[in-house]
Amino acid sequence: MAMPIETARSASSARDFLLAKQEGRKLSMITCYDYAFARLLQMTEMDAILVGDSVAMVVHGRPSTIHADISMMRLHTEAVARGAKDKFIVADMPFLSYRKGVAAALDAAQTLMSAGAHALKLEGVSGHEDVIQRLVESGIPVMGHLGLQPQSVHAYGGFRVQGKTDDSAQDILRQAVELEQLGVFGVVLECIPAKLACEITHALRIPTIGIGAGAACDGQILVLQDMLGMNVDFRPKFARRFFEGARSIVNAVESFDAAVKAGEFPSLEESYR
Ligand code: KIV
């Protein structure tokens, strides 16, 4: 149930994520990219908002997340932070921003934290362990992202479920343990078999946040526009629609169009005297 802004309850720090796992409370996360939706999410009990690099696809119509860069992420993080003043905001480190050495990654991190993020998420671990460690040591809460890593879409040859073979499953588990050792406060598990996500969840003290990773994860995340049913072309099995947004919005706009063309809008009450 939605609550007034003043009383909405939700996690407000990385520490709350760890506490939630210890206390067996499920965590809820959702993506957001703009001020208008952020104001609505502010009125909910969602634990955290992710300004995901999926913004490149969902908002800008690009074919993958590799088209999100630091200026795009900064713009959208600022807008979300203005709208959801009391929410815990995680921002995605965009493609390659954490693969060019520690100094460049710290610059990118500074940009996003100054834009209003409270934590940063980045994909994978191999080859940027030093970056993760330095961010954590710098007091920046870091969230990991394993399984399907959308920034590696071209290496996979498409958006494919990961961890289906024993070897790849063991590798994802190993990376999750390594991320925990490096000090991340949570890890997104995207599109992996539910059994593997369950095993990882039990192996870690930090919470797992699933998307297409089954019910055993400590929390769940969905892309806001998928959850609202706004994307007619995209319907993966994990993206439950909690609203038929596309139909409702198209119907509303069609009603406006019809009212204008019938000369029925605006009415006298909707006009100034
Ligand atoms: O960018 C994004 O939307 C994400 C979620 C799919 C977890 O990383």
Side-chain angles (χ1 to χ4, degrees):
M1 189 185 71
M3 300 179 76
I5 291 172
E6 301 74 42
T7 54
R9 276 178 287 123
S10 53
S12 55
S13 68
R15 201 172 151 267
D16 291 333
F17 268 58
L18 299 169
L19 277 178
K21 173 136 185 172
Q22 285 162 16
E23 293 168 5
R25 274 184 289 118
K26 292 271 189 189
L27 289 156
S28 56
M29 288 186 71
I30 193 149
T31 66
C32 185
Y33 318 107
D34 67 12
Y35 173 76
F37 271 123
R39 277 172 53 104
L40 299 180
L41 297 183
Q42 166 75 22
M43 294 186 243
T44 73
E45 293 185 41
M46 293 298 300
D47 287 306
I49 292 175
L50 172 70
V51 186
D53 57 358
S54 51
V55 66
M57 302 173 76
V58 177
V59 176
H60 295 274
R62 304 303 296 263
S64 78
T65 59
I66 70 170
H67 299 281
D69 62 13
I70 195 70
S71 58
M72 187 186 283
M73 293 308 299
R74 176 173 64 182
L75 192 70
H76 291 281
T77 302
E78 284 172 346
V80 170
R82 275 183 222 120
K85 294 195 190 312
D86 302 319
K87 286 294 179 195
F88 184 56
I89 298 173
V90 184
D92 261 335
M93 296 276 282
F95 183 57
L96 293 186
S97 64
Y98 46 97
R99 301 288 299 184
K100 297 176 186 167
V102 172
L106 287 177
D107 283 345
Q110 185 170 17
T111 300
L112 296 177
M113 297 300 280
S114 305
H118 305 114
L120 302 175
K121 174 166 83 57
L122 44 75
E123 296 180 8
V125 58
S126 300
H128 50 271
E129 298 87 343
D130 53 349
V131 168
I132 296 172
Q133 199 167 10
R134 185 68 77 85
L135 291 173
V136 171
E137 284 168 3
S138 306
I140 298 175
V142 176
M143 179 169 256
H145 185 148
L146 298 175
L148 172 58
Q149 297 168 36
Q151 292 173 11
S152 299
V153 62
H154 295 301
Y156 304 138
F159 294 99
R160 295 176 200 287
V161 176
Q162 301 294 306
K164 283 173 114 175
T165 65
D166 283 352
D167 281 357
S168 63
Q170 281 314 302
D171 194 44
I172 295 171
L173 173 61
R174 180 195 59 74
Q175 292 178 63
V177 171
E178 193 176 354
L179 280 173
E180 176 169 282
Q181 286 164 353
L182 286 168
V184 309
F185 73 94
V187 58
V188 167
L189 298 176
E190 179 164 356
C191 289
I192 60 172
K195 190 164 159 287
L196 172 60
C198 182
E199 191 184 346
I200 295 172
T201 300
H202 284 114
L204 300 183
R205 288 185 307 279
I206 56 171
T208 57
I209 308 295
I211 174 163
C217 294
D218 299 303
Q220 298 290 330
I221 182 166
L222 283 177
V223 169
L224 178 63
Q225 281 77 356
D226 295 346
M227 190 275 279
L228 293 178
M230 289 171 67
N231 190 344
V232 279
D233 313 323
F234 183 67
R235 196 154 198 179
K237 67 191 278 182
F238 61 80
R240 185 189 298 181
R241 288 187 179 172
F242 289 83
F243 183 59
E244 288 302 330
R247 193 180 311 147
S248 302
I249 292 168
V250 170
N251 285 347
V253 174
E254 292 284 40
S255 300
F256 171 52
D257 175 66
V260 169
K261 288 174 181 166
E264 184 265 306
F265 175 84
S267 65
L268 272 180
E269 291 71 36
E270 289 158 332
S271 306
Y272 294 107
R273 290 171 212 279

